[in-house]
């Protein structure tokens, strides 16, 4: 290789090649197929010249995986990992290694999507059902959801449920006990302000005297107190109010459940069940309520239904409550949950089982008793005599001295209490930790002996948990929590569930508007580094300088990519980002004396989260029509913007549109809204078609959220986590979210929080950091170009067989395309559901079904899929078209055909009573390529109606699965 330079041999752009699926030869073949001479030619044909970036991204050159990891490792080393005793809802934990390696670090779990196609998602649905069962057992409630974003968000959702369900319709007051975690109070008050609810923060006992529609209590309290709250619950309910209890999951192993005390809602964080603190997230919140409130329950619910063979099968239940269907009338704007983290927590419960959890909880409580006994024996007093794992120690003027001594010893104490320190123990606490705490609080010559203190407690007993609050009800009695306690059995159980699910490690997932691209292993590795994973979100800022450096650099990159002036990393989902962005718009208008502006224009093609988010800031949604080409109807927009100019707050628009085209009038749309006093919210769902080519700021937008779990490679986790930071122009920057425990920025001081942690799901930000670092500015632009090429290639190949519903300039699509199945449905009776399920037989997850247009499929291949995989998908779609033709012609009966009966399972193929007019080979192996990597759905098509009419959202017995 005499003409090869050293620079070429160093392969600095090697990651770009590995991230982008098609190589140079494949790219040339696809360009020829679509009628373009080069990528530049294709982009010129596709993207309006008026919105093209005038200069390249200022991101820098790409780095190799090794160099990027080394660079981030040096940044992570700036973090100081002290032993954390801060508590406040965040605790160190041991993630069982069998769960760490086989779930958190396993692409079979983290690259799957939300289980909208349940026949190929039975594994994670079962893990989520286990999560719901765990929640029900520990809370004592009737019905649980499959996770929410964090404890603060769950509490805010409880408040809105209370408002809907309370029969005290005259009250507008929500009561918050002052011993609720402060970050939760902050999030709830932000939400209450947006809805116009009044709030009162006072001692819990005061709630009995108030006329409220709802109340939030903490059990145990933020300072550790365990008290009987049943009388307070009854007092509120006597006045027709709803009571929500924020509870600690580990404490409920030993404490009487809030459900047994009469609570209407129980919520909290499942973080301490094996999920690292991660500087605040991501973590799964749990939420449970009464059966009577099931249609007001926020978030996903997993339910038991049956398939066409009568076999039990799981699916998401009661979806008519959710934003993608009810839009502005939805219970919540929640789209992404925290599935991966909920699954980890449920596996933690499965692995330890009830006895294992009791041992852990009792150990935590015993060490807390030992700590309390030692401190009180030396003359210190406790704020509360009843506790589970948290002590508030009265130390008076010695507080600062003790806190500083603890820091020098590598210990973080809670330090925001007047004349007192907080100490929370957890699963990782050891005898050595207790001795270290004695040392910093009492001095090195304390003379206390752990064994001696323990013997005294064994002999005398402990009353730190009141007798009437000791749990007597059984927990986790289902077989699943009592069967897999050896690592061998647990490993096989996890694997058995993984095998039921189709994820990106098997085949392309071409879900439109979801951007299921590669989640590279090098991007994922830093997530489990202890330098990132073991930090408490409220650790002193000087201990988190690595996080600050990483977040600051990532923020600068995202500002450059979006064309905005500032960014907030706090929102921990795309929907949360929309909410935060709309708050900024509302606060901006209020600051100018325009509080009356409350109209939000939304095109009819918008994602359901847009109108659902608008209602969360008390905006009135006005729908703008789209024309026959799928673009915003400019005449309708101009008319409505003018008519509503006095009250126009904003427009929410997606670009490229959800119809998969670059609208030529996007800048004019921004101008029209601005001329009438409104702001422009540009939804970042389709940012994968903008990066390096255009930007929201250049287009004329004022604020956008970014889906880091789409464009910037954070995996979807089977339905979460996600991160939805918002970029804003300078005039909106003063209204970005702040945090009451640890301020985010002096310029936003006093603003409300939208998430429990200051920087949201901080521990997964390294994924996006690594992606951008390894791609560089040129690589990011090429990724966008290749996403557009792949989509146009599929559109071109399918267009002779299925109508491509919308096209932009030069008959080009953006990064996704919509194929119209309605004419085929009319001619054959074959539905979009039939096609979606038949794709499972070909080894593919279906594209997005019936969004944004009913009766269609929206296909987004992303840049990561190679031509061979695209061709395999095209082959499947053409084969399915031939199958539809046989139904059209009458060769196949309308019901007795492989489309109507899809997907086909091994139970079908092995059934000795096979009596269908087509053969088994066609059912299971419709084209030869399927045999190379066959995926078997484990259930047949699921009956959604049966599942909603016979709602079961807890674990059925194993016997119910027997044939």
């Amino acid at each position: 290789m005499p003409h090869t330079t050293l620079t070429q041999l160093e392969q600095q752009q090697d990651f770009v090649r590995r991230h982008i699926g098609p190589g140079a030869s494949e790219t040339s073949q696809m360009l020829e197929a679509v009628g373009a001479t080069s990528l530049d030619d294709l982009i010129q044909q596709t993207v309006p010249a008026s919105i093209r970036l005038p200069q390249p991204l200022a991101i820098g050159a790409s780095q190799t995986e090794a160099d990027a990891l080394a660079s981030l490792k040096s940044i992570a080393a700036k973090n100081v990992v002290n032993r954390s005793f801060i508590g406040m809802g965040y605790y160190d934990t041991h993630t069982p290694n069998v769960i760490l390696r086989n779930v958190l670090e396993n692409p079979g779990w983290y690259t799957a999507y939300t289980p909208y196609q349940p026949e190929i998602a039975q594994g994670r649905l079962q893990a989520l059902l286990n999560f719901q069962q765990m929640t029900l057992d520990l809370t004592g409630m009737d019905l649980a959801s499959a996770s929410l974003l964090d404890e603060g968000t769950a509490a805010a959702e409880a408040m809105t449920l209370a408002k809907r369900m309370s029969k005290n319709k005259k009250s507008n007051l929500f009561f918050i006990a002052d011993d609720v975690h402060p970050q939760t109070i902050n999030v709830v008050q932000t939400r209450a302000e947006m809805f116009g609810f009044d709030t009162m923060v006072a001692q819990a006992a005061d709630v009995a005297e108030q006329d409220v529609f709802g109340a939030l209590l903490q059990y145990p309290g933020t300072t550790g107190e365990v008290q009987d709250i049943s009388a307070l619950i009854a007092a509120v309910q006597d006045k027709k109010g709803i009571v929500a209890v924020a509870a600690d999951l580990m404490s409920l192993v030993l404490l009487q459940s809030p459900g047994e005390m009469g609570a209407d809602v129980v919520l909290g964080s499942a973080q301490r069940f094996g999920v690292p603190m991660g500087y605040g997230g991501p973590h799964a919140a749990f939420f449970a309520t009464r059966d009577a409130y099931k249609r007001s329950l926020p978030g996903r619910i997993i339910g038991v239904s049956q398939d066409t063979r009568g076999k039990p099968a799981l699916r998401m239940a009661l979806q008519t409550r959710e934003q993608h269907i009810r839009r502005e009338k939805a219970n919540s704007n929640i789209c992404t949950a925290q599935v991966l983290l909920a699954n980890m927590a449920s596996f933690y419960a499965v692995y330890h089982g009830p006895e294992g959890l009791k041992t852990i909880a009792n150990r935590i409580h015993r060490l807390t008793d030992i700590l309390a006994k030692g401190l009180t024996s030396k003359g210190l007093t406790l704020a509360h005599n009843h506790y589970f794992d948290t002590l508030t120690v009265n130390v008076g003027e010695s507080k600062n001295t003790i806190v500083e001594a603890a820091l020098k010893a590598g210990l973080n104490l809670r330090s925001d209490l007047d004349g007192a320190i907080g100490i929370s123990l957890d699963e990782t606490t050891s005898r050595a930790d207790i001795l270290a705490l004695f040392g910093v609080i009492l001095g090195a010559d304390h003379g206390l002996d752990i064994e001696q203190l323990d013997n005294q407690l064994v002999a005398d007993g402990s009353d730190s948990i009141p007798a009437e609050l000791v749990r007597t009800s059984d927990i986790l009695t289902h077989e699943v929590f009592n069967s897999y306690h050896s690592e061998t059995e647990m490993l096989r159980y996890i694997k058995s569930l993984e095998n039921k699910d189709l994820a990106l490690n098997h085949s392309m997932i071409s879900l439109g508007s979801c951007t299921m691209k590669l989640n590279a292993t090098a991007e994922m590795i830093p997530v489990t580094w202890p330098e990132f994973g073991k930090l408490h979100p409220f650790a002193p800022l000087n201990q988190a300088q690595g996080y600050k450096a990483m977040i600051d650099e990532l923020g600068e990159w995202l500002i450059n990519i979006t064309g905005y002036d500032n960014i907030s990393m706090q929102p921990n989902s795309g929907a949360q980002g929309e909410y935060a962005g709309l708050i900024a718009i509302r606060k901006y208008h209020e600051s100018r004396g325009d509080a009356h502006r409350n109209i939000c224009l939304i095109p009819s093609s918008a994602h359901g989260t847009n109108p659902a988010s608008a209602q969360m800031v008390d905006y009135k949604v006005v729908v703008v029509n789209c024309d026959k080409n799928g673009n915003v109807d400019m005449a309708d927009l101009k008319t409505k913007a003018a008519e509503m100019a006095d009250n126009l707050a904003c427009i929410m628009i997606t670009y490229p549109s959800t119809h998969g085209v670059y609208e030529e009038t996007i800048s004019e749309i921004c101008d029209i809204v601005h001329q009438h006093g409104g702001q422009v919210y540009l939804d970042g769902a389709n940012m994968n078609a903008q990066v390096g080519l255009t930007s929201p700021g250049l287009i004329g937008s004022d604020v956008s959220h970014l889906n880091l779990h789409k464009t910037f490679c954070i995996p979807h986790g089977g339905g979460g986590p996600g991160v939805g930071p918002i970029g804003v122009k300078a005039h909106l920057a003063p209204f970005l979210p702040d945090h009451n425990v640890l301020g985010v920025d002096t310029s936003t001081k006093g603003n409300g929080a939208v998430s429990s942690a200051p920087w949201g799901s901080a521990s997964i930000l390294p994924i996006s950091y690594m992606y951008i670092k390894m791609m560089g500015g040129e690589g990011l632009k090429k990724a966008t170009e290749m996403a557009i090429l792949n989509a146009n290639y599929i559109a071109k190949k399918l267009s002779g067989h299925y109508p491509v519903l919308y096209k932009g300039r030069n008959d080009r699509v953006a990064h996704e395309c919509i194929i119209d199945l309605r004419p085929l449905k009319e001619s054959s009776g074959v539905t979009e559901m039939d096609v979606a399920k038949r794709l499972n037989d070909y080894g593919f997850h279906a594209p997005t079904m019936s969004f944004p247009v009913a009766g269609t499929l929206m296909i987004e291949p992303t840049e990561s899929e190679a031509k061979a995989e695209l061709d395999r998908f095209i082959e499947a779609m053409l084969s399915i078209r031939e199958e539809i033709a046989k139904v059209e012609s009458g060769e196949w009966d309308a019901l007795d055909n492989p489309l109507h009966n899809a997907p086909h399972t091994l139970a079908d193929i092995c059934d000795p009573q096979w009596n269908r007019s087509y053969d088994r080979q066609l059912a299971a192996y419709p084209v030869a390529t399927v045999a190379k990597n066959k995926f078997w759905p484990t259930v047949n098509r699921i009956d959604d109606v049966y599942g909603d009419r016979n709602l079961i959202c807890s674990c059925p017995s194993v016997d119910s699965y027997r044939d």
Side-chain angles (χ1 to χ4, degrees):
M1 303 172 67
H3 302 294
T4 304
T5 67
L6 177 60
T7 299
Q8 291 171 318
L9 292 171
E10 287 173 328
Q11 294 185 294
Q12 292 297 316
Q13 293 189 319
D14 193 47
F15 179 78
V16 177
R17 177 182 65 82
R18 295 189 184 279
H19 174 81
I20 294 173
S25 176
E26 291 180 316
T27 300
S28 296
Q29 293 172 37
M30 291 194 293
L31 286 168
E32 183 178 357
V34 303
T37 59
S38 65
L39 278 175
D40 283 343
D41 179 38
L42 176 64
I43 299 307
Q44 288 174 13
Q45 293 181 35
T46 307
V47 183
S50 61
I51 60 166
R52 290 290 303 276
L53 289 174
Q55 69 282 322
L57 295 175
I59 301 297
S62 60
Q63 289 193 4
T64 66
E65 294 183 21
D67 287 346
L69 283 167
S71 174
L72 186 55
K73 191 70 171 178
S74 68
I75 292 173
K78 297 178 182 178
N79 290 329
V80 178
V81 181
N82 275 7
R83 292 291 287 118
S84 179
F85 301 98
I86 297 171
M88 300 174 70
Y90 299 92
Y91 307 87
D92 203 359
T93 182
H94 291 306
T95 306
N97 289 319
V98 67
I99 298 172
L100 176 70
R101 175 59 59 88
N102 297 290
V103 181
L104 181 57
E105 298 178 343
N106 182 351
W109 287 95
Y110 66 68
T111 68
Y113 191 66
T114 304
Y116 287 115
Q117 296 289 324
E119 293 84 358
I120 54 174
Q122 291 295 295
R124 61 188 180 281
L125 286 168
Q126 181 62 63
L128 289 172
L129 193 69
N130 294 346
F131 179 82
Q132 292 178 182
Q133 183 68 62
M134 174 190 80
T135 301
L136 296 177
D137 283 6
L138 291 171
T139 62
M141 300 304 290
D142 302 327
L143 185 69
S145 73
S147 78
L148 294 178
L149 296 174
D150 57 32
E151 184 167 336
T153 302
E157 295 290 351
M159 175 179 63
T160 55
L161 179 147
K163 186 62 176 175
R164 286 191 298 270
M165 301 308 300
S166 172
K167 294 183 179 179
N168 187 2
K169 300 301 182 184
K170 294 182 180 180
S171 175
N172 193 49
L173 179 63
F174 187 73
F175 181 93
I176 308 171
D178 61 4
D179 65 347
V180 170
H181 292 316
Q183 70 272 17
T184 302
I185 295 175
N186 197 194
V187 173
V188 172
Q189 287 181 321
T190 301
R191 186 78 62 93
E193 180 186 358
M194 292 300 106
F195 277 126
F197 302 157
D198 299 320
T199 59
M200 171 187 287
V201 180
Q203 291 185 356
D206 293 351
V207 72
E209 308 304 320
Q210 303 301 319
D211 181 36
V212 301
F213 69 81
L216 175 65
L217 308 176
Q218 189 93 37
Y219 175 74
T222 188
T223 57
E225 185 176 17
V226 173
Q227 61 177 322
D228 188 344
I229 55 176
S230 55
L232 298 180
I233 292 172
V236 174
Q237 292 170 340
D238 286 346
K239 296 181 181 180
K240 301 180 181 179
I242 300 292
V243 181
V245 177
D248 176 87
L249 205 57
M250 187 64 77
S251 76
L252 296 185
V253 174
L254 301 185
L255 298 179
Q256 184 182 35
S257 72
E260 292 170 306
M261 295 182 177
D264 298 298
V265 176
V266 186
L267 60 98
S269 172
Q271 177 266 315
R272 68 190 306 179
F273 272 36
V275 180
M277 289 186 288
Y279 204 48
H283 307 134
F286 61 88
F287 192 104
T289 189
R290 299 179 182 275
D291 181 74
Y293 303 154
K294 60 178 174 282
R295 295 198 177 274
S296 287
L297 183 66
R300 316 291 193 200
I301 308 173
I302 308 308
V304 182
S305 185
Q306 64 182 23
D307 68 6
T308 54
R309 297 179 71 90
K311 178 182 177 181
L314 309 178
R315 28 77 79 179
M316 294 193 297
L318 299 178
Q319 290 191 59
T320 51
R321 304 165 298 112
E322 296 187 46
Q323 46 73 30
H324 62 285
I325 293 176
R326 296 202 73 201
R327 299 171 74 82
E328 69 271 20
K329 295 182 175 64
N331 293 339
S332 168
N333 76 334
I334 288 172
C335 182
T336 300
Q338 299 285 22
V339 167
L340 183 65
L341 299 315
N343 286 342
M344 288 179 66
S346 78
F347 283 132
Y348 180 92
V350 168
Y351 192 41
H352 288 296
E355 295 308 313
L357 289 179
K358 288 175 186 175
T359 299
I360 293 169
N362 276 308
R363 182 174 71 247
I364 294 169
H365 183 239
R366 174 63 58 82
L367 287 170
T368 311
D369 270 343
I370 289 171
L371 179 62
K373 193 170 189 64
L375 295 176
T376 55
S377 73
K378 295 298 182 178
L380 290 175
T381 61
L382 305 178
H384 315 298
N385 293 322
H386 297 137
Y387 50 79
F388 165 64
D389 64 357
T390 297
L391 303 178
T392 297
V393 186
N394 298 314
V395 294
E397 294 181 359
S398 300
K399 172 186 164 182
N400 290 341
T401 302
I402 292 171
V403 170
E404 287 302 315
L407 289 171
K408 289 179 181 178
L411 312 176
N412 287 348
L413 307 179
R414 182 172 180 181
S415 60
D416 64 330
L417 307 171
D418 291 338
I421 55 172
I423 308 172
S424 292
L425 307 188
D426 56 51
E427 176 190 9
T428 70
T429 305
S430 67
R431 295 175 182 230
D433 292 323
I434 303 301
L435 288 173
L437 288 166
F438 284 151
V440 299
I441 298 170
L442 302 173
D445 57 350
H446 57 77
L448 295 171
D449 180 78
I450 300 293
E451 199 71 34
Q452 186 178 45
L453 291 169
D454 184 50
N455 288 338
Q456 292 175 18
L457 285 164
V458 171
D460 301 338
S462 168
D463 61 359
S464 55
I465 295 179
E468 66 272 18
L469 295 182
V470 173
R471 185 165 201 132
T472 57
S473 55
D474 291 332
I475 60 170
L476 307 181
T477 57
H478 191 273
E479 301 102 305
V480 74
F481 300 109
N482 294 278
S483 302
Y484 308 108
H485 300 158
S486 77
E487 181 163 338
T488 300
E489 289 299 311
M490 189 66 190
L491 176 67
R492 290 171 182 164
Y493 178 62
I494 292 172
K495 180 62 176 173
S496 72
L497 297 187
E498 179 194 345
N499 288 345
K500 297 180 179 183
D501 289 11
L502 192 149
L504 279 175
N505 62 342
H506 182 275
S507 58
M508 176 173 73
I509 299 177
S510 60
L511 285 158
S513 196
C514 298
T515 315
M516 299 293 290
K517 61 166 68 177
L518 171 71
N519 313 119
T521 306
E523 296 158 4
M524 300 300 296
I525 285 174
V527 172
T528 51
W529 287 348
E531 298 96 322
F532 288 133
K534 293 182 76 67
L535 252 68
H536 191 288
F538 306 147
L541 289 174
N542 62 4
Q543 295 177 14
Q545 290 304 296
Y547 259 115
K548 183 179 187 305
M550 184 267 293
I551 291 172
D552 286 350
E553 190 170 15
L554 176 60
E556 290 171 3
W557 290 338
L558 295 177
I559 286 170
N560 179 250
I561 289 168
T562 58
Y564 287 125
D565 301 310
N566 210 327
I567 196 162
S568 170
M569 296 291 186
Q570 190 177 114
N572 50 10
S573 78
Q576 200 81 302
E578 290 183 17
Y579 171 56
L582 289 169
I583 289 175
I585 289 174
R586 177 171 151 171
K587 292 286 189 180
Y588 168 74
H589 285 311
E590 289 173 352
S591 75
R592 292 160 51 87
D594 286 340
H596 59 280
R597 290 188 174 272
N598 68 342
I599 299 293
C600 179
L601 301 176
I602 299 182
S604 59
S605 61
H607 194 282
T609 51
N610 291 172
S613 296
Q615 64 86 25
M616 288 180 64
V617 298
D618 207 26
Y619 276 0
K620 178 182 177 182
V621 173
V622 174
V623 177
V624 178
N625 295 328
C626 290
D627 63 24
K628 64 180 181 179
N629 296 317
N631 300 317
V632 170
D633 185 325
M634 295 302 290
D636 190 47
L637 172 65
K638 290 175 182 177
T639 298
K640 288 173 176 171
E643 288 177 354
M644 300 170 186
D646 290 345
N647 295 311
L648 180 61
C650 64
I651 188 171
M652 297 186 79
I653 189 166
T654 303
Y655 198 75
S657 75
T658 51
H659 289 147
V661 296
Y662 290 94
E663 294 187 54
E664 302 282 336
T665 56
I666 184 63
S667 293
E668 184 183 355
I669 291 170
C670 296
D671 290 341
I672 290 168
V673 173
H674 286 147
Q675 288 164 13
H676 291 94
Q679 294 286 288
V680 177
Y681 187 109
L682 197 150
D683 188 316
N686 290 343
M687 196 69 195
N688 210 49
Q690 287 193 49
V691 178
L693 300 180
T694 184
S695 72
L698 177 67
I699 288 168
S701 173
D702 301 290
V703 54
S704 298
H705 77 272
L706 303 173
N707 292 304
L708 297 191
H709 49 287
K710 293 182 182 181
T711 312
F712 298 98
C713 291
I714 291 175
H716 285 73
V723 180
I726 53 169
V728 295
K729 288 291 182 67
H731 64 282
L732 294 181
F735 310 105
L736 290 172
D738 197 55
H739 200 276
N740 65 337
V741 178
L742 212 61
V744 175
D745 191 280
T746 55
S747 66
T748 58
K749 187 174 182 179
N751 292 351
V754 298
S755 302
S756 289
W759 288 275
S761 294
S763 70
I764 55 176
L765 294 178
I767 300 170
S768 296
Y769 179 95
M770 284 291 294
Y771 171 65
I772 296 174
K773 190 85 166 177
M774 293 187 294
M775 291 294 282
E778 290 184 11
L780 291 172
K781 178 186 176 186
K782 187 174 182 182
T784 306
E785 293 170 339
M786 291 304 299
I788 295 168
L789 174 58
N790 281 0
N792 277 277
Y793 178 70
I794 284 182
K796 183 71 171 180
K797 290 290 187 178
L798 295 183
S799 61
H801 309 271
Y802 301 91
V804 176
L805 190 55
Y806 299 115
K807 296 179 182 179
R809 52 163 40 202
N810 300 307
D811 286 335
R812 297 300 187 192
V813 298
H815 66 310
E816 59 192 7
C817 63
I818 299 174
I819 61 171
D820 192 355
L821 302 180
R822 292 171 297 181
L824 293 175
K825 181 178 181 179
E826 187 173 341
S827 64
S828 67
V830 174
T831 67
E832 68 277 10
M833 180 75 77
D834 294 331
V835 175
K837 302 307 180 186
R838 184 58 171 153
L839 274 167
N840 297 168
D841 289 330
Y842 286 80
F844 284 107
H845 191 294
T848 299
M849 188 173 61
S850 289
F851 173 80
V853 180
T856 66
L857 294 179
M858 181 162 58
I859 305 166
E860 181 186 358
T862 84
E863 72 275 12
S864 297
E865 298 299 339
K867 179 176 179 293
E869 185 74 349
L870 303 182
D871 287 341
R872 199 169 71 83
F873 176 79
I874 292 164
E875 177 189 36
M877 290 300 297
L878 298 188
S879 177
I880 288 172
R881 179 63 185 91
E882 292 174 1
E883 293 176 349
I884 295 172
K886 292 182 179 181
V887 180
E888 286 177 303
S889 68
E891 181 180 344
W892 281 345
D893 180 78
L895 300 180
D896 183 11
N897 66 72
L899 293 145
H900 182 77
N901 293 326
H904 296 84
T905 63
L906 272 171
D908 290 329
I909 304 308
C910 298
D911 191 340
Q913 302 301 317
W914 181 271
N915 55 4
R916 299 174 184 178
S917 61
Y918 55 95
D919 63 37
R920 302 171 199 250
Q921 180 77 17
L922 179 64
Y925 298 98
V927 292
T929 52
V930 172
K932 296 179 180 179
N933 190 25
K934 175 63 180 174
F935 179 87
W936 288 101
T938 53
V939 297
N940 292 93
R941 195 176 304 191
I942 297 172
D943 188 335
D944 290 327
V945 174
Y946 177 91
D948 281 352
R949 288 179 177 172
N950 302 275
L951 190 64
I952 300 172
C953 299
S954 56
C955 294
S957 69
V958 170
D959 286 340
S960 67
Y961 290 93
R962 301 186 192 280
D963 291 334

